Amino acid sequence: MLDFSTASILLVDDNPTNLSVLRQALKELGLNVRIATNGEEALEQVQRKLPDLILLDVQMPGIDGFETCRQLKSNLLTQDIPVIFMTAHSNTESKVKGLSVGAVDYVTKPFEQEEVLARVKVHLQLRYLTCALQQTNETLEERVKQRTDALQKAQVQLVQQEKMSALGQLVAGVAHEINNPIGYIAGNLHQAELAVNDVLGHLRLYQAIFPDAGHAIEENAKNIDLEYLLSDLPNMISSMKVGCDRIKNISTSLRTFSRADKDSKVLCNIHDGIDSTLLILKHRLKANEQHPDIEVITEYTELPLVECFPSQLNQVFMNILANAIDALEESNAGRSFEDIQAHPNQIRIQTQLSPDCQWVVIRIADNGIGISEEVKQHIFDQLFTTKAVGKGTGLGLAIAQQIVVEKHGGAIEVNSLPGPGTEFIINLSLKSAT
């Protein structure tokens, strides 16, 4: 759970009153608060020390909040800092513009302190979850790297067991850590939704019984755009619940990938294993400065459950997909971002039944540089690799072949030529193999 005493907020507003009120309220939560009175000052402060969240006014002297946010999102060091806009404009155009430049949320002036604090809490918790997941991924990558030398000297069976055990424990741990805070958030959101509905119903009752509310109340309702708030507040809570459900789905996929194999085979949905593996590799599929997103095209046919060792098959998918990503990155050498965008990197995954309905066929193809006939002859050999020293163990495809052929009585083959790309074909029998 997030310790608010370690979190920092950058509050950007040219109105001294707003700064004073919000600063005091945020400090009462235990947050470390820094202030800036314009966009230029905010950008300078962010360069000196990264905050966990930014509350950003839209209308300011010099560069406005929209431009400040654009500059933050264009900088690799600051692009992941969540930004909440504070604006007196409640029209849809302003909100859409704010979200389009990278803001995660907005509050409308004049604001309620409780609303601002609630939104700050939610986005700090989400920021905490994201950072925790990134740190765990970095830890996992570091551990795998440290084990590379040992893996090269170990036998294939030992490598398979140790690697999947370590990966499974780490991923299962991530799923567990996600479940705790998201359960707390989801539970509170449910109660908040009930409370908000009660309050809104009570307010509607007041409006019905006392339609002549008086000038002061009517003026205030107009200033805060009461009707819009009444309709929008349930939508906000609904959106947060959707976000919680999405994180729960991610946690479920992580547990699917990391489940430990039993002594005997179990019936398994092959598509679940592929999808959970893609989730683990998602960070490598995303765009960066060198290339756009790697497109993953899944063409699934409805399949029966397959009797197998699920965790071992997940390792096969992991090794083949990771090799496909490596091949695509290698094929990008010397190509411009625009050229790659026009002819995108793709991984295509197809599943189908064999004509006699006795086998499940899984095809994983990339449109990378392909491999030569000479390399193809040795691709499943132990310790054979075409990657640079320290980049590959030469065991991934050897392990994949052993799992598919020896453990599952199936077959694995590769089709490739230099240029068109590479396709791996996995055949798994629907009859139990001993």
Side-chain angles (χ1 to χ4, degrees):
M1 186 58 61
L2 174 65
D3 180 2
F4 282 111
S5 65
T6 65
S8 64
I9 302 287
L10 177 60
L11 181 57
V12 188
D13 199 319
D14 63 329
N15 186 310
T17 301
N18 289 344
L19 288 175
S20 176
V21 172
L22 279 177
R23 184 178 189 181
Q24 182 61 34
L26 293 168
K27 282 195 168 185
E28 289 177 1
L29 282 180
L31 294 164
N32 299 306
V33 183
R34 291 185 290 147
I35 62 174
T37 57
N38 56 61
E40 291 88 347
E41 183 182 349
L43 293 172
E44 291 176 2
Q45 288 209 35
V46 168
Q47 291 300 321
R48 291 196 295 269
K49 185 178 180 180
L50 297 178
D52 295 299
L53 186 143
I54 299 174
L55 279 168
L56 180 60
D57 188 23
V58 172
Q59 291 184 313
M60 297 182 295
I63 63 173
D64 63 12
F66 293 136
E67 178 58 29
T68 303
C69 187
R70 285 194 195 95
Q71 293 192 30
L72 288 169
K73 296 304 175 182
S74 64
N75 188 325
L76 287 176
L77 293 176
T78 60
Q79 64 182 7
D80 294 328
I81 301 173
V83 175
I84 300 177
F85 273 133
M86 300 182 295
T87 176
H89 298 291
S90 60
N91 59 75
T92 301
E93 182 180 355
S94 295
K95 294 171 185 175
V96 170
K97 182 176 181 181
L99 295 174
S100 67
V101 298
V104 297
D105 207 344
Y106 65 88
V107 290
T108 305
K109 296 180 181 179
F111 46 75
E112 292 291 337
Q113 286 189 29
E114 292 80 3
E115 179 188 353
V116 177
L117 296 180
R119 294 185 185 229
V120 166
K121 287 180 182 179
V122 168
H123 287 292
L124 282 177
Q125 292 287 1
L126 293 175
R127 169 78 163 163
Y128 169 77
L129 290 173
T130 301
C131 291
L133 184 57
Q134 290 175 343
Q135 290 171 2
T136 304
N137 285 339
E138 291 171 359
T139 301
L140 174 59
E141 292 173 357
E142 182 62 26
R143 290 190 184 186
V144 172
K145 182 179 179 182
Q146 291 173 354
R147 291 188 176 191
T148 298
D149 291 339
L151 290 172
Q152 288 179 333
K153 299 176 183 178
Q155 293 185 9
V156 172
Q157 179 110 18
L158 180 61
V159 172
Q160 170 199 339
Q161 294 173 348
E162 290 187 356
K163 184 176 180 182
M164 289 307 292
S165 175
L167 185 59
Q169 290 175 17
L170 284 168
V171 174
V174 172
H176 178 73
E177 289 302 317
I178 288 176
N179 278 341
N180 285 337
I182 204 61
Y184 172 80
I185 294 172
N188 278 277
L189 277 176
H190 176 69
Q191 295 302 319
E193 183 178 36
L194 296 176
V196 166
N197 288 337
D198 287 343
V199 171
L200 294 182
H202 192 66
L203 182 56
R204 290 293 190 191
L205 183 60
Y206 259 100
Q207 290 176 324
I209 296 177
F210 301 103
D212 187 8
H215 176 73
I217 293 178
E218 289 179 353
E219 187 65 23
N220 184 66
K222 180 179 179 181
N223 289 338
I224 66 173
D225 197 355
L226 179 61
E227 289 304 316
Y228 175 79
L229 290 179
L230 292 176
S231 63
D232 192 45
L233 187 55
N235 293 336
M236 285 187 244
I237 293 180
S238 177
S239 295
M240 286 186 271
K241 289 174 68 177
V242 170
C244 287
D245 290 340
R246 172 59 180 151
I247 296 175
K248 287 180 181 178
N249 290 337
I250 292 173
S251 176
T252 299
S253 293
L254 291 173
R255 291 198 302 272
T256 298
F257 178 84
S258 63
R259 57 188 170 186
D261 283 332
K262 300 179 181 179
D263 293 336
S264 58
K265 296 175 182 177
V266 296
L267 291 173
C268 168
N269 185 327
I270 291 296
H271 297 150
D272 288 345
I274 297 172
D275 291 339
S276 65
T277 306
L278 287 171
L279 177 69
I280 301 298
L281 291 168
K282 189 173 183 179
H283 67 288
R284 294 196 61 194
L285 299 169
K286 290 183 177 179
N288 57 35
E289 292 181 338
Q290 284 73 45
H291 63 76
D293 287 333
I294 296 175
E295 296 180 6
V296 177
I297 302 167
T298 55
E299 299 174 353
Y300 292 164
T301 300
E302 185 174 351
L303 299 175
L305 299 179
V306 176
E307 194 171 7
C308 64
F309 297 107
S311 182
Q312 293 185 28
L313 282 185
N314 288 347
Q315 185 177 4
V316 174
F317 302 144
M318 172 71 77
N319 290 342
I320 293 176
L321 287 167
N323 281 347
I325 295 171
D326 290 340
L328 291 171
E329 291 177 347
E330 186 177 349
S331 72
N332 290 337
R335 298 176 63 194
S336 67
F337 191 96
E338 292 72 21
D339 179 37
I340 301 171
Q341 199 166 36
H343 304 86
N345 297 150
Q346 291 182 340
I347 295 175
R348 185 179 299 272
I349 306 172
Q350 299 172 300
T351 61
Q352 61 190 78
L353 282 174
S354 62
D356 59 5
C357 296
Q358 298 298 308
W359 300 83
V360 166
V361 183
I362 305 160
R363 298 176 181 269
I364 303 175
D366 66 70
N367 62 345
I369 57 176
I371 56 177
S372 67
E373 185 64 32
E374 181 182 0
V375 170
K376 191 164 66 173
Q377 296 301 317
H378 300 282
I379 201 167
F380 294 111
D381 293 350
Q382 294 182 34
L383 303 181
F384 177 79
T385 180
T386 60
K387 298 176 183 177
V389 176
K391 296 293 185 180
T393 63
L395 294 174
L397 293 178
I399 291 173
Q401 184 183 53
Q402 183 188 62
I403 292 172
V404 172
V405 177
E406 297 181 20
K407 297 292 185 180
H408 291 85
I412 182 171
E413 59 182 293
V414 58
N415 292 329
S416 183
L417 290 172
T422 301
E423 178 186 53
F424 282 89
I425 305 170
I426 302 168
N427 290 274
L428 298 174
S429 175
L430 287 172
K431 296 181 179 179
S432 177
T434 58

